[in-house]
């Protein structure tokens, strides 16, 4: 893609001038709006080319954004929920209009293949549709009172300003999961995206601002602030932010959870995954192998739901191993904008270093890298962090297998007994996000889904660990953080619950039969 084509994509999405309304400035080349303000130059992971330079927000900028958000909340919470849903519907329509350029920008800035970039924007559209329906279904409950002439019920109210901290691997979808549900719930949001992918965030801010302007609503309903870790710390510490939704590493999530919990705020954490697929003797091998490959190499292994471990029964192990090698030999690796590419680059050199270090550590612990693991350095891959996805024979107890490496490394682990052994291996890690079993044995499937089966927030049968639909609640247990986003009743995280009792009689009876006559 030429520089002029890239510039056209950015300009189509409104990215061309500095805009202080976002507490971030964007300049072409090396210019900056203020020489005393830090900037970050954004390089495409595809070839290292400069896309733009972004001004990083200061804590003074943060305060400006927070004040604007609070003012907007005072207006937005009075808008009826179905009317809020109408605004989200219009945002979904705008995203349909901008799907192609925004999907290309996701690929340009993050490096996932174009089909995945477009799919991520479609996920935003889908969550908008879900939120529109939800805006008429923010249900409470009614209860029968033990007191005569009394009625009890529950209702849900907006929380206020929601802080959203998102990771680089899904530059736009995770923000939409949070912000669109928060919006129909009556909240406003302040979004701190990963500083590695700010352009996608700026594009989204332009899109929602178009809708707000067309409806004469304040821009502060959706707020964007681009900065370093100090902005995330400010969100976590701020008593004006009742909920902080943070997506990222377990290390980061522990810090956010500790700080937010210290002020008795709420945190919604979506953290690391160490996801496994179990393949049993009765499995459909073709389906299992396809799912394992997509889960392991899709997004170059940089999904929180990426398949990290493949737990295979002894009777199938050598067959599965050879099939994986045959497929990996043919993997189209390269420019993610080109048709036919299935594996793009890692996000940056830091990720490449983590990939190399993990493989070195695995071998020191006794693992065997039986295919892949090389860094690709020919002219075709110049400027990007391209690797050959690695297949590694290992044991579940190895320290490196217990950790999550955000890279395309698939550990193959044997089991020889009943399915309960495989489930035990799968559960024996610190993380608990996504899990999968391939089996045509109904009893094995039910054991996997039982209370004593998979301990993950997502448990799938005959599909892989990656590629969740927005209709179900998304999240995991243990060091994954326990948060739930997206579908089902995840909306409740963005609201405060209130129990109400209405006395429509003329006496004042007390609960539990207490007598207190004055």
């Amino acid at each position: 893609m030429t520089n002029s084509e890239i510039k056209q994509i950015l300009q189509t999405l409104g990215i061309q001038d500095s805009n202080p309304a976002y507490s971030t400035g964007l300049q072409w080349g090396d210019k900056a709006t203020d020489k005393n303000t830090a900037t970050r130059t954004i390089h495409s992971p595809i070839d290292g080319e400069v896309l733009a330079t972004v001004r990083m927000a200061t804590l003074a900028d943060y305060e400006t954004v927070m004040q604007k958000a609070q003012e907007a909340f005072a207006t937005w919470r009075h808008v009826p929920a179905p009317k809020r849903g109408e605004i989200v519907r219009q945002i979904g329509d705008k995203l349909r209009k901008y799907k192609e350029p925004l999907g290309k920008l996701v690929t340009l800035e993050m490096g996932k293949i174009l089909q995945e970039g477009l799919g991520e924007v479609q996920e935003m559209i889908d969550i908008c549709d879900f939120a529109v329906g939800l805006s008429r279904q923010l249900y409470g409950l009614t209860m029968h009172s033990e007191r005569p002439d009394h009625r009890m019920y529950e209702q849900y109210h907006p929380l206020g300003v929601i802080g959203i901290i998102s990771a680089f691997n899904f530059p736009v979808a995770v923000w939409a999961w949070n912000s669109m549900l928060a919006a129909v719930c009556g909240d406003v949001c302040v979004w701190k995206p990963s500083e590695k992918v700010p352009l996608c965030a700026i594009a989204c801010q332009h899109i929602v601002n178009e809708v707000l302007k067309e409806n004469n609503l304040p821009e502060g309903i959706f707020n964007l602030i681009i900065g370093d870790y100090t902005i995330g710390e400010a969100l976590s510490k701020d008593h004006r932010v009742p909920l902080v939704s943070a997506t990222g590493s377990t290390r980061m999530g522990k810090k956010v959870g500790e700080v937010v919990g210290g002020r008795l705020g709420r945190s919604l954490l979506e953290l690391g995954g160490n996801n496994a697929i179990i393949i049993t003797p009765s499995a459909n091998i073709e389906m299992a192998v396809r799912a394992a490959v997509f889960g392991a190499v899709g997004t170059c292994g940089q999904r929180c739901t990426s398949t990290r471990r493949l737990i295979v029964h002894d009777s199938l192990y050598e067959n599965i191993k050879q099939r994986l090698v045959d497929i990996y030999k043919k993997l189209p690796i390269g420019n993610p904008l080109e048709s036919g590419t299935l594996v793009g680059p890692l996000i940056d050199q830091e990720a490449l270093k983590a990939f190399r270090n993990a493989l070195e550590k695995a071998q020191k612990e006794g693992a065997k890298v039986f295919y892949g693991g090389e860094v690709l350095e020919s002219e075709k891959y110049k400027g990007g962090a391209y690797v050959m996805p690695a297949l590694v024979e290992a044991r579940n107890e190895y320290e490196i297998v217990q950790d999550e490496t955000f890279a395309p490394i698939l550990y193959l682990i044997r089991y020889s007994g009943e399915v309960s052994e495989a489930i035990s291996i799968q559960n024996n890690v610190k993380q608990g996000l996504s899990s999968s079993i391939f089996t045509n044995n109904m009893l094995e499937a039910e054991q996997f889904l039982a209370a004593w089966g998979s301990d993950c927030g997502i448990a799938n049968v005959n599909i892989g660990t990656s590629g969740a639909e927005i209709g179900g609640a998304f999240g995991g247990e243990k060091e994954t953080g326990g948060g739930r986003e997206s579908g089902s009743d995840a909306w409740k995280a963005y609201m405060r619950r209130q129990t109400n009792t209405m006395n429509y009689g003329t006496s004042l009876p007390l609960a539990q039969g207490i007598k207190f006559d004055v």
Side-chain angles (χ1 to χ4, degrees), residues 169-350:
N169 59 331
F170 279 85
V172 293
V174 172
W175 164 75
W177 286 3
N178 285 274
S179 61
M180 297 307 139
L181 294 193
V184 298
C185 289
D187 301 315
V188 302
C189 66
V190 174
W191 180 21
K192 184 217 169 294
S194 167
E195 56 265 43
K196 295 182 179 182
V197 286
L199 303 183
C200 291
I202 294 171
C204 290
Q205 186 69 38
H206 278 295
I207 290 169
V208 297
N209 277 357
E210 282 186 23
V211 174
L212 297 176
K213 184 176 181 180
E214 290 165 3
N215 288 272
N216 297 313
L217 288 167
E219 285 187 354
I221 296 168
F222 297 94
N223 300 277
L224 171 65
I225 185 161
I226 293 170
D228 60 18
Y229 70 94
T230 60
I231 301 300
E233 287 181 346
L235 274 173
S236 300
K237 294 176 181 177
D238 199 330
H239 286 263
R240 296 168 295 181
V241 183
L243 172 67
V244 176
S245 175
T247 303
S249 68
T250 297
R251 180 179 56 83
M252 178 275 290
K254 285 181 177 179
K255 291 181 180 178
V256 171
E258 181 179 0
V259 174
V260 175
R263 61 177 172 86
L264 298 183
R266 302 187 196 179
S267 55
L268 195 167
L269 302 176
E270 295 289 356
L271 311 175
N274 196 345
N275 317 295
I277 293 177
I278 296 170
I279 305 180
T280 73
S282 69
N284 181 316
I285 302 303
E286 295 303 320
M287 288 174 58
V289 170
R290 287 179 60 195
V293 172
F294 174 72
V297 308
T299 324
C300 202
Q302 297 172 112
R303 291 183 176 219
C304 53
T305 55
S306 290
T307 306
R308 310 287 179 201
R309 298 174 294 144
L310 197 61
I311 303 167
V312 185
H313 192 270
D314 263 336
S315 62
L316 304 174
Y317 187 86
E318 293 301 329
N319 184 12
I320 296 290
K321 178 180 172 181
Q322 187 57 52
R323 285 172 182 259
L324 288 170
V325 170
D326 291 342
I327 293 173
Y328 272 49
K329 286 179 178 179
K330 300 175 184 177
L331 281 176
I333 302 169
N335 188 325
L337 286 167
E338 293 179 358
S339 177
T341 299
L342 293 182
V343 184
L346 290 165
I347 185 68
D348 55 23
Q349 292 298 314
E350 184 181 344

Side-chain angles (χ1 to χ4, degrees), residues 484-495:
R484 292 296 184 274
E485 295 173 321
S486 193
S488 185
D489 66 349
W491 61 271
K492 292 180 179 178
Y494 306 92
M495 304 196 82

Side-chain angles (χ1 to χ4, degrees), residues 366-384:
K368 178 184 178 183
V369 180
F370 65 89
Y371 190 81
E374 301 87 4
V375 177
L376 304 177
E377 297 178 318
S378 68
E379 186 66 24
K380 175 182 176 180
Y381 305 110
K382 185 179 179 181

Side-chain angles (χ1 to χ4, degrees), residues 276-281 309-315 317 394-397 402 412-429 436-437 443-445 447-448 452-455:
I277 293 177
I278 296 170
I279 305 180
T280 73
R309 298 174 294 144
L310 197 61
I311 303 167
V312 185
H313 192 270
D314 263 336
S315 62
Y317 187 86
R395 297 180 63 86
N396 199 64
E397 59 266 27
Q402 290 285 311
L412 272 67
I413 300 166
R414 295 174 181 263
Y415 81 99
S416 57
E418 300 297 323
V419 72
S420 58
E421 178 191 346
I423 294 172
S424 178
I425 293 170
Q426 178 212 274
N427 291 346
N428 190 23
V429 291
S436 169
I437 188 171
L443 299 181
E444 290 180 335
Q447 287 182 64
F448 183 73
W452 54 89
S454 171
D455 65 1

